[in-house]
């Protein structure tokens, strides 16, 4: 199906929005009236610019407060419509969106609404134009799609149909039966389909709509089921995105447009409209790569944590540090002294790296060039929205090239050398996102990598709220790849200087904390008030609370009895480590402790 986007979904001038939509790969656009009115281009100029970019103009919108009005007011509405129809003819578009009336002067009379919409359609037909009538969720008298359809059906005019909008339909409730009425609408009378998702929020629907819509797959509405119903009804027009979002209005139009098109491609897959290469869900972290211009502080920290320098790259200033199944690459050839150590890349364990990369490319993930010598193992890599490089790897599996063979002198420690309290692997990686990439990052990792998003949580930071959302590959969050995306309410640019972190798994956190402290590793200092509160919230074994207080260990317990113990190192450059122990099927990330941890790190 053709893919379209409303210009209101993107930032910038109308010319910039058209260019961004075309570069991303959209087939068409909806022209929002405010964008046209503010543009220095004439309607003919916009038509020509769109054609040059390979875009059709699929809809002009909106015309408001038209139907069920007093006679004198409706006469003025017809005059207004005639002017709009002339503009549309000059634009080269043939479909006008008419929203259900919200005016206090509107009359609660379906017969009057039917008569006036039929007269509007008569005038539209003279211009070769169709009218798509849409029920706004906050419409004064018409607020549901089935009510709008009854009026259109009664009018029985060839130039009058309905526009279905996923937000206006789904924001009113999530009962699947509410969508069954779509089957009663003939496909040819569904003139247009507008799509938007939104996070589930308890707030006024108008404010929810105007500020918090997002692209399909980024929120909590079941847009997929709605699209299935509409397509099954026989609709064959464009899938068009109409998203009002304060962040998108300020973000770069180019990246927003790519994110938007990715959401449509993924939506088509989930709705069964088209197929993509199957997702290859990563089973874990093969390595995390840290870049630094001054390796000494990080090498000291890694050694204190029990990592061994296991090898050096054959052609690059990169060292492999290893402990259990946890592997850290320390790159001396990149990074800056201003930033210190930064997390720049993650290797993802994939059962079929080539297939994983093929799916990523089909979902518009930027493919990174392979910067390697003729001796290097080739690795497919893509860029995440925040710029983190993601490599698809197979570690020590004979059926695939092993990236670790690029490192000379690589030796694995004997099992007997792994002391009690050793690191066993990487539990998860937490990435701080720029404010304008957060929703895009959630969709990217869900669609491209096949990860399942957890509920979004807001955490108290000393200087605002800290939004966090985890994604995992395991069905219950206890296995497979885990990623945590964090968004800070920081002043512009500050999130780029905040730390990322790598969570390392252990089977005995107390032993690990004692061992690394004895090796000189400084752990984050936790205030005594936390442990008094912990004692009130949880009944612990005798001496357990004193141990946690001594070592600076956090503790959490879920409703099923699963337990989570974790502690934190000091930050080196922009990276710190968390050491975690999960027992009893605990699938969370210690969110209850985050406010105390964030305050301690701020200090």
């Amino acid at each position: 199906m053709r893919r379209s986007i409303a210009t209101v979904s993107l930032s910038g001038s109308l010319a910039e929005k058209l260019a961004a939509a075309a570069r991303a790969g959209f087939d068409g656009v909806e022209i929002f009236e405010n964008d046209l009115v503010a543009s220095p281009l004439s309607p003919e100029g916009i038509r020509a610019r769109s054609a040059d970019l390979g875009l059709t103009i699929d809809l002009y919108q909106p015309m408001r407060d038209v139907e069920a009005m007093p006679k004198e007011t409706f006469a003025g509405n017809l005059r207004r419509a005639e002017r709009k129809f002339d503009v549309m003819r000059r634009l080269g578009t043939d479909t006008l969106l008419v929203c259900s009336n919200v005016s206090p002067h509107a009359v609660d009379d379906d017969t009057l609404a039917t008569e006036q919409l039929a007269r509007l359609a008569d005038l539209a037909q003279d211009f070769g134009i169709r009218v798509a009538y849409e029920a706004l969720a906050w419409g004064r008298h018409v607020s549901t799609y089935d009510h709008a359809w009854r009026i259109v059906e009664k009018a029985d005019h060839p130039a009058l149909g309905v526009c279905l909008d996923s937000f206006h339909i789904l924001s009113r409730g999530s009962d699947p039966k509410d969508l069954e009425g779509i089957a009663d609408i003939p496909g040819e009378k569904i003139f247009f389909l507008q799509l938007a998702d939104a996070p589930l929020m308890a707030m006024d629907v108008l404010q929810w709509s105007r500020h918090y819509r997002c692209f399909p797959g980024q929120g909590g509405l079941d847009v997929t089921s709605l699209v299935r119903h509409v397509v099954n009804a026989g609709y064959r027009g464009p899938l068009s995105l109409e998203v009002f979002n304060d962040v998108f209005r300020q973000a770069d139009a180019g990246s927003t447009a790519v994110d938007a098109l990715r959401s449509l491609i993924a939506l088509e897959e989930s709705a069964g409209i088209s197929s993509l290469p199957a997702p290859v869900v990563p089973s874990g972290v093969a390595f995390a790569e840290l870049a630094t211009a001054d390796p000494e502080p990080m090498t000291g920290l890694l050694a204190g944590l029990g990592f061994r320098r296991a090898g050096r790259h054959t052609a690059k200033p990169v060292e492999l540090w290893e402990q259990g199944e946890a592997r850290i690459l320390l790159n001396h050839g990149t990074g800056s002294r201003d930033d210190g150590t930064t997390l720049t890349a993650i290797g993802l364990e994939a059962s079929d790296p080539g297939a994983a990369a093929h799916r990523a490319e089909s979902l518009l993930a930027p493919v990174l060039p392979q910067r390697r010598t003729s001796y290097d193992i080739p690795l497919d890599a893509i860029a995440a929205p925040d710029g983190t490089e993601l490599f698809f790897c197979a570690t020590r599996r004979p059926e695939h090239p092993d990236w670790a063979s690029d490192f000379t002198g690589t030796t694995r420690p004997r099992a007997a050398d792994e002391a009690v309290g050793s690191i066993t692997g990487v539990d998860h990686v937490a990435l701080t996102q720029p404010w304008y990439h957060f929703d895009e990052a959630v969709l990217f990792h869900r669609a491209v990598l096949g990860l399942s998003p957890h509920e979004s949580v807001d955490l108290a930071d000393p200087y605002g709220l800290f939004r966090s959302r985890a994604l995992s590959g395991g069905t219950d969050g206890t296995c497979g790849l885990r990623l945590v995306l964090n968004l800070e309410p920081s002043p512009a640019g500050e999130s780029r200087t905040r730390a990322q972190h790598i969570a390392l798994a252990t089977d005995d956190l107390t032993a690990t904390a004692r061992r690394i402290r004895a090796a000189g590793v400084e752990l984050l200092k936790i205030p005594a008030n936390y442990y008094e509160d912990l004692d009130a919230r949880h009944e612990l074994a005798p001496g357990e609370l004193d141990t946690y207080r001594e070592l600076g260990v956090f503790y959490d317990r879920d409703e099923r009895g699963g337990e989570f113990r974790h502690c934190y190192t000091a930050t080196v450059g922009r990276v710190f480590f968390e050491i975690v122990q999960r027992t009893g099927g605990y699938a969370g990330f210690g969110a209850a402790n985050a406010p105390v941890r964030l305050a301690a790190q701020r200090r």
Side-chain angles (χ1 to χ4, degrees), residues 7-22 29 35 55 253:
T7 55
V8 74
S9 306
L10 303 170
S11 67
S13 67
L14 179 56
E16 291 170 329
K17 295 178 181 193
L18 295 175
V29 293
D35 286 322
L55 296 170

Side-chain angles (χ1 to χ4, degrees), residues 209-232:
S209 172
R210 285 289 179 257
H211 302 283
Y212 296 101
R213 293 197 201 190
C214 53
F215 297 126
Q218 296 177 342
L221 303 180
D222 189 4
V223 182
T224 298
S225 292
L226 182 139
V227 170
R228 285 199 194 103
H229 279 83
V230 176
V231 172
N232 290 340

Side-chain angles (χ1 to χ4, degrees), residues 68 166 243 292 406 422 424 507 550:
S166 65
V243 173
T292 182
D406 281 341
S422 292
T424 59
D507 293 332
E550 172 198 354

Side-chain angles (χ1 to χ4, degrees), residues 288 290 328 343 426 428-430 500-504 575-578:
L290 307 178
I328 305 294
L343 174 61
V426 174
H428 65 273
V429 178
Q500 319 276 36
H501 84 261
I502 301 165
L504 304 170
V575 176
F576 62 91
F577 292 94
E578 179 184 10

Side-chain angles (χ1 to χ4, degrees), residues 521-571:
V521 174
E522 179 186 356
L523 294 178
L524 189 65
K525 293 179 174 61
I526 311 304
N529 292 333
Y530 167 78
Y531 295 102
E532 292 187 12
D533 179 68
L534 180 61
D535 189 31
R537 287 186 293 116
H538 297 293
E539 186 173 351
L540 302 173
E544 191 174 1
L545 184 69
D546 292 335
T547 298
Y548 296 161
R549 182 186 288 112
E550 172 198 354
L551 299 174
V553 169
F554 287 105
Y555 175 88
D556 190 32
R557 184 187 301 161
D558 65 22
E559 59 188 14
R560 298 174 300 175
E563 296 178 300
F564 190 60
R565 298 166 176 85
H566 54 137
C567 59
Y568 296 84
T569 71
T571 302

Side-chain angles (χ1 to χ4, degrees), residues 149-461:
W149 165 238
R150 289 196 301 271
I151 292 173
V152 169
E153 185 180 30
K154 187 176 179 181
D156 191 24
H157 196 293
L160 180 64
V162 294
C163 172
L164 299 181
D165 183 300
S166 65
F167 180 85
H168 292 300
I169 295 171
L170 298 173
S171 64
R172 299 183 60 85
S174 57
D175 188 342
K177 292 182 180 179
D178 293 339
L179 302 180
E180 293 177 0
I182 293 174
D184 298 330
I185 308 175
E188 66 273 13
K189 297 300 285 185
I190 303 175
F191 282 3
F192 211 73
L193 175 61
Q194 292 180 318
L195 300 171
D197 204 340
L200 301 180
M201 306 175 76
M203 68 182 305
D204 173 74
V205 68
L206 177 58
Q207 295 305 311
W208 188 19
S209 172
R210 285 289 179 257
H211 302 283
Y212 296 101
R213 293 197 201 190
C214 53
F215 297 126
Q218 296 177 342
L221 303 180
D222 189 4
V223 182
T224 298
S225 292
L226 182 139
V227 170
R228 285 199 194 103
H229 279 83
V230 176
V231 172
N232 290 340
Y235 176 74
R236 295 297 181 265
L239 299 180
S240 190
L241 297 167
E242 186 200 38
V243 173
F244 298 86
N245 184 291
D246 293 346
V247 173
F248 296 169
R249 287 189 181 102
Q250 301 173 66
D252 173 70
S255 61
T256 302
V258 171
D259 180 34
L261 189 60
R262 180 183 297 121
S263 77
L264 276 186
I265 295 171
L267 177 63
E268 289 174 6
E269 179 189 38
S270 63
I273 297 172
S274 63
S275 60
L276 296 173
V280 181
V281 182
S283 58
V285 175
F287 64 81
E289 182 172 344
L290 307 178
T292 182
D294 181 11
E296 186 174 345
M298 183 54 69
T299 57
L301 178 56
L302 290 173
L305 289 171
F307 282 83
R308 301 166 183 242
R309 185 185 282 108
R312 186 177 178 87
H313 196 278
T314 55
K316 302 170 186 174
V318 182
E319 296 174 349
L320 169 61
W321 289 72
E322 192 170 22
Q323 184 178 183
E325 295 300 319
R327 290 169 287 270
I328 305 294
L329 302 185
L330 196 57
N331 191 331
H332 304 187
T334 58
S336 70
R337 293 193 177 275
D338 290 339
D339 289 338
T341 302
T342 58
L343 174 61
T344 57
I346 305 171
L348 304 176
E349 290 285 359
S351 58
D352 188 338
H358 186 36
R359 177 176 176 83
E361 190 170 2
S362 70
L363 281 159
L364 311 181
V367 177
L368 299 177
Q370 296 180 354
R371 298 184 296 274
R372 61 187 182 91
T373 69
S374 58
Y375 302 103
D376 290 348
I377 296 296
L379 290 179
D380 292 302
I382 59 174
D386 66 351
T388 302
E389 298 180 353
L390 303 177
F391 289 85
F392 298 110
C393 310
T395 306
R396 301 187 177 98
R397 296 206 301 271
E399 68 271 23
H400 295 290
D402 183 7
W403 64 270
S405 63
D406 281 341
F407 293 83
T408 59
T410 302
T411 57
R412 289 181 61 76
R414 298 171 300 172
D417 293 336
E418 298 288 4
V420 174
S422 292
I423 301 301
T424 59
V426 174
D427 182 87
H428 65 273
V429 178
L431 303 172
T432 301
Q433 301 296 303
W435 63 273
Y436 47 85
H437 280 318
F438 190 82
D439 289 329
E440 178 185 1
V442 172
L443 174 65
F444 179 93
H445 291 94
R446 181 187 66 78
V448 172
L449 302 182
L451 301 179
S452 299
H454 299 212
E455 290 297 322
S456 179
V457 296
D458 289 330
L459 308 171
D461 179 270

